Structure formats: C-alpha cells, structure tokens
Amino acid sequence: MCGRFAITMPTEAMAELFGAVPGNDLPGGPDYNICPTDTVAAVTSAEGLRRLRPMRWGFLPHWYKTPADGPLLINARADTVAHKPAFAAAARQRRCLIPASGFYEWQKGPQDARLPWYIARSDGAPLAFAAIWQDWERDGRSLTTCAIVTTEANRAMQPVHHRMPVILDPDDWPLWLGEAGHGAAALMRPARDGVLSLHRVGTAVNSNRAEGPELIEPLET
C-alpha cells in the first residue's frame, strides 16, 4: 500500500538526479502531503531520453469513460501487475519512476485509531518508486496517469503494514525504465533490510488537507 507521500526536492534537483529533461506544468514543491489524484512528477525514458513529466496519480484504464468510472487505481500489486487487464500493457511498455522524499503508512491502534508513520531512506537519499503509466483520452479530455507498484512489506515495515511500495536503487533505474533489456520483474521485491527508517508522526497528516514540514517531524513522546 502507498496512499500518501512527500517530496521536498526542487524540480531542478529531481531532473539532475535522474538525468532527465524537465517538462512543463510540473507540480511545485515542496509538498509534504501528496494525495491520490494529485499531480506528481514521474520519470520516463524513450529513444535515449529521460523526461521528468507531470502525471495524475490514479491510473485510468482505457475503458474508463470518465476518471470516476471505476475504482481509483493508485497502486498496482507486483504479483498481479503483469496479468491484470488494466495494467498488463503498461507493465510491459510504460514503466516509470516516481521520486519521493518519504511516504506515510498507517498502523491500526487501540479502538481502530489510525496511527501514522513516516518512512524514508536511512541514508537520507530520495526514494524512487517503481510505477507504471498510461495516457487516457475520452471526449476530448486527455490525462497522463500513473500507479505505484507495491509488494510485500520487508521486516521493518511488517509491524506497520503488510505491503510497501517497490523502491528502486539507482543501479536498477535503467532496467525498470526499459533502457537495459528485459528482466524488470525481478526488481519488484521488498526493500533490503536497513534501507529504510521509520518514525511515528502526528495525526495531523490523517487529513488530506494538511500541509507543512511539521507533518514529517517525529512524534514527541
């Protein structure tokens, strides 16, 4: 599961990190509470050129008549992405990377309380989520949309949630983007032990309207 994340890097820094040409209309930042249907920055690769592009977070299958015509597809499961009709073609042909500074996950607490955690790389480097994308067009309206690929949680994440986004190291980016041949399916695995650090944050982030750097600050105990 990945339903909320943060990005604090400027566009220019993201473009430099991924060796990508930034496009127009990229979302401004920083954004400490990116929610489904928001516009996110994503890295694609074609004909030897990487591009940093704006995309709607919420994948739209080509048969949707409107963006609200079916379930909101913000995630695609690693174990089924290659076979599900909504995702199969994109998994083969349209893979991308979504930069993030960290992401949120919620642990079930007493009396069904939602206890938020913030998860980031232990070394402070940005995250790169494995994702898929697709253009959708209907009745003169067009959107470029994406979904984050998720897999089973690693040992650090398991006490919080049973799933996590697929997080790719820089050496894996070319394979996922289709620049280094076949075999990208092998990359859809949990992050290695020690790659991520987790800390509890305040419940302000439970609201999708909340914003500001205080959302990712460790909860005082």
Side-chain angles (χ1 to χ4, degrees):
M1 180 68 180
C2 181
R4 218 84 77 69
F5 66 96
I7 182 70
T8 61
M9 296 179 68
T11 296
E12 296 77 9
M14 283 190 281
E16 182 177 358
L17 175 66
F18 291 95
V21 177
N24 297 323
D25 301 324
L26 286 163
D31 192 334
Y32 293 89
N33 193 8
I34 297 172
C35 303
T37 74
D38 284 351
T39 299
V40 301
V43 181
T44 62
S45 181
E47 299 178 350
L49 179 67
R50 290 183 182 178
R51 297 172 58 199
L52 187 64
R53 307 171 54 187
M55 296 188 185
R56 174 194 187 265
W57 184 22
F59 190 96
L60 294 180
H62 63 83
W63 58 81
Y64 276 27
K65 296 179 180 179
T66 71
D69 197 34
L72 181 59
L73 305 177
I74 61 170
N75 294 154
R77 291 176 62 100
D79 51 335
T80 60
V81 67
H83 309 294
K84 277 202 168 184
F87 301 135
R92 292 192 303 270
Q93 304 166 6
R94 293 183 299 277
R95 298 188 298 271
C96 62
L97 301 169
I98 296 180
S101 300
F103 65 98
Y104 300 97
E105 193 52 80
W106 280 262
Q107 185 180 36
K108 190 173 182 179
Q111 300 178 333
D112 293 330
R114 299 179 72 233
L115 308 179
W117 291 73
Y118 183 70
I119 302 99
R121 285 189 64 108
S122 301
D123 59 10
L127 301 170
F129 297 145
I132 55 175
W133 67 277
Q134 176 161 283
D135 289 325
W136 176 88
E137 186 171 355
R138 186 64 64 109
D139 299 328
R141 183 182 184 186
S142 60
L143 293 169
T144 300
T145 69
C146 61
I148 294 170
V149 180
T150 66
T151 187
E152 297 176 356
N154 66 3
R155 192 182 326 181
M157 279 290 301
Q158 285 172 359
V160 178
H161 198 275
H162 65 284
R163 296 194 67 79
M164 67 183 299
V166 172
I167 297 166
L168 300 178
D169 292 327
D171 289 346
D172 296 327
W173 296 350
L175 184 57
W176 184 256
L177 291 173
E179 301 167 344
H182 301 288
L187 302 177
M188 294 188 289
R189 58 181 182 261
R192 301 184 310 277
D193 289 341
V195 169
L196 301 177
S197 62
L198 302 77
H199 61 259
R200 272 288 316 279
V201 293
T203 56
V205 75
N206 289 4
S207 169
N208 59 13
R209 298 179 181 179
E211 188 51 67
E214 63 276 9
L215 297 182
I216 67 173
E217 292 296 322
L219 182 68
E220 294 184 6
T221 57

